[in-house]
Amino acid sequence: MHRVVITGIGAVTPLGHTAAATWAALREGRVAIGPIENFPREGLRYGIAAEVRGFDPLAHFDEKKLVQYDRFTQFALVAAREAVAQSGIDFARDGLGDDTAVIIGTGIGGETTHDEASKRLYGDNNPRLHPLTIVRLIANAPASHVCIEHGLHGAAFATSSACASANHALAQAFMLVRSGAARAALAGGSEACITLGVVRAWEAMRVMADDTCRPFSKQRRGMVLGEGAAIFVLETLDNARARGATILAELAGAGLSADAGDIVFPSETWTAKAISRALADAGLDPADVDYVNAHGTATPANDPTETKALRRVFGAHADRLAVSSTKSMHGHALGAAGAVELVATIGALRDGVVPPTMNFVEPDPECDLDYVPNAARDLPVRAALSNSFAFGGLNAVLALRRMK
């Protein structure tokens, strides 16, 4: 079994179009939530989201190729390029192309394409759809196009488990590299879900905030949608050292579970089980962990359940944990959420700075941990967890360790 490390990060998020810009904004506590600009807001109950603003596809893609890419594929390709460039990996030179996996999660897939096709078919009563509609909207499009662009021939597929999609993708990539089934992997998540149909559907669930995202705060009013992508280069520690690569963090373990209960209400027992399984897989004691990047959706059900699960696993050490939800800044990117939040988790490990939970007003008696409210905190972080708990009761927790 190989030790697995991360040597490259790329991101396109509401906070910035690179991983470095995203991390800088997270440290600063910058909030990217605002009025929706992608489409007219008339008729919406709330009309706020965390959009990736100012993203120009033509700055990244030839117009002839761009026609193949939905917005979520564009995000993934740009993020993957950044991750590969930072890692310094050359798949052909290093002989890794045949054995590099590509696993990219998404909760919805090519929703921009789907929305446009539905409007054309039903709204405009036009039966002629674009001939590339299917290949643009399929969930595996980002993974396939990343393979094509970088000449990668290892295991490649998409994971789709709602809000846990990215963490499931990263966990699968981690297991492939650790076992030796792949020598390296590009993995993460991508989502571009801020369309009229998706926003109206979420509003119908009555779980959306009308002001901003306030995780763990007594005044929280629900979640806020986000979008974006983050992709990571995973490889064995031995291979990274042999290349002389800069190692950003060790991906030390993953814990997975299914509630097998309610389709939307989370289970304290099985979210706790995913956390404890991640610790066990990584060989970490609870006392080794200094920071948890929480799922923290700011909904009435999620925040107290996650708090109780952390207390169940960490016991007295829970009072010494720094816990924050960066969704308060970049919104909930659904299938990309865990990947965007891994940017924050790795930043905390590398820089010894824990990003804050922004928009925090007053503690909720049911949420009684240290949520790092409203300002980043200098804190040496030895090990950290990143939690993702999805609708459908599908849970995925990643455990990371700082490399000395």
Side-chain angles (χ1 to χ4, degrees):
M1 302 289 277
H2 301 279
R3 290 176 68 183
V4 179
V5 295
I6 295 170
T7 56
I9 306 175
V12 177
T13 77
L15 295 170
H17 296 178
T18 65
T22 297
W23 171 236
L26 288 164
R27 290 183 60 158
E28 294 168 10
R30 196 182 313 156
V31 176
I33 295 167
I36 290 172
E37 298 178 359
N38 280 358
F39 54 86
R41 301 190 300 276
E42 289 79 6
L44 294 177
R45 294 185 59 178
Y46 308 131
I48 60 171
E51 296 171 302
V52 175
R53 294 190 170 95
F55 180 82
D56 179 9
L58 290 174
H60 302 282
F61 304 104
D62 179 87
E63 192 169 2
K64 292 180 180 178
K65 282 195 171 182
L66 185 58
V67 70
Q68 303 178 46
Y69 307 146
D70 184 271
R71 184 172 167 90
F72 89 127
T73 298
Q74 297 167 25
F75 290 163
L77 282 167
V78 173
R81 290 172 186 172
E82 182 188 5
V84 171
Q86 183 184 30
S87 75
I89 202 166
D90 183 317
F91 297 107
R93 180 197 65 208
D94 300 333
L96 295 172
D98 290 355
D99 300 305
T100 294
V102 179
I103 310 174
I104 299 175
T106 184
I108 296 180
E111 182 55 31
T112 299
T113 296
H114 184 264
D115 196 70
E116 290 169 354
S118 296
K119 180 180 182 298
R120 184 179 178 90
L121 185 62
Y122 301 115
D124 301 339
N125 198 29
N126 187 337
R128 296 175 63 85
L129 299 185
H130 194 285
L132 297 179
T133 297
I134 292 298
V135 297
R136 284 166 57 94
L137 65 80
I138 52 178
N140 63 292
S144 297
H145 284 296
V146 167
C147 286
I148 291 167
E149 185 163 299
H150 296 279
L152 306 178
H153 301 279
F157 51 93
T159 58
S160 188
S161 48
C163 318
S165 300
N167 272 16
H168 274 120
L170 287 153
Q172 290 296 311
F174 161 69
M175 292 173 189
L176 285 171
V177 175
R178 181 171 65 173
S179 71
R183 293 176 61 196
L186 285 171
S190 188
E191 202 81 90
C193 56
I194 303 175
T195 66
L196 178 60
V198 169
V199 171
R200 291 297 293 267
W202 277 102
E203 286 187 343
M205 289 197 73
R206 303 293 194 268
V207 296
M208 303 292 285
D210 61 355
D211 55 352
T212 193
C213 183
R214 304 183 186 277
F216 304 108
S217 177
K218 185 177 181 179
Q219 290 78 8
R220 68 190 184 279
R221 300 168 69 93
M223 58 176 276
V224 175
L225 283 178
E227 62 178 349
I231 305 294
F232 304 83
V233 175
L234 280 58
E235 57 186 305
T236 66
L237 175 61
D238 289 343
N239 190 75
R241 284 177 170 166
R243 293 196 304 110
T246 298
I247 296 170
L248 306 177
E250 180 180 5
L251 182 49
L256 313 177
S257 71
D259 293 353
D262 194 274
I263 197 69
V264 294
F265 198 88
S267 162
E268 175 194 338
T269 299
W270 292 102
T271 54
K273 182 63 74 172
I275 294 167
S276 62
R277 285 173 174 169
L279 293 172
D281 193 42
L284 292 168
D285 291 324
D288 295 330
V289 177
D290 298 304
Y291 171 56
V292 176
N293 186 288
H295 188 55
T297 58
T299 58
N302 175 85
D303 293 3
T305 301
E306 186 168 13
T307 297
K308 292 171 185 173
L310 288 168
R311 284 207 169 276
R312 178 185 287 219
V313 173
F314 285 95
H317 184 66
D319 291 318
R320 292 186 287 277
L321 286 174
V323 180
S324 69
S325 172
T326 54
K327 289 183 177 72
S328 59
M329 293 176 270
H330 54 66
H332 192 344
L334 304 183
V340 174
E341 289 153 20
L342 191 59
V343 176
T345 307
I346 293 171
L349 283 162
R350 284 183 58 75
D351 291 357
V353 177
V354 172
T357 301
M358 294 301 293
N359 311 313
F360 197 91
V361 179
E362 183 181 353
D364 183 330
E366 290 191 274
C367 301
D368 58 356
L369 297 174
D370 175 4
Y371 301 112
V372 195
N374 299 320
R377 181 182 305 162
D378 291 337
L379 179 72
V381 179
R382 299 163 296 163
L385 301 182
S386 181
N387 292 345
S388 287
F389 308 127
F391 273 1
L394 308 181
N395 310 307
V397 178
L398 304 177
L400 293 98
R401 186 183 289 114
R402 184 178 67 214
M403 291 297 295
K404 299 177 180 179

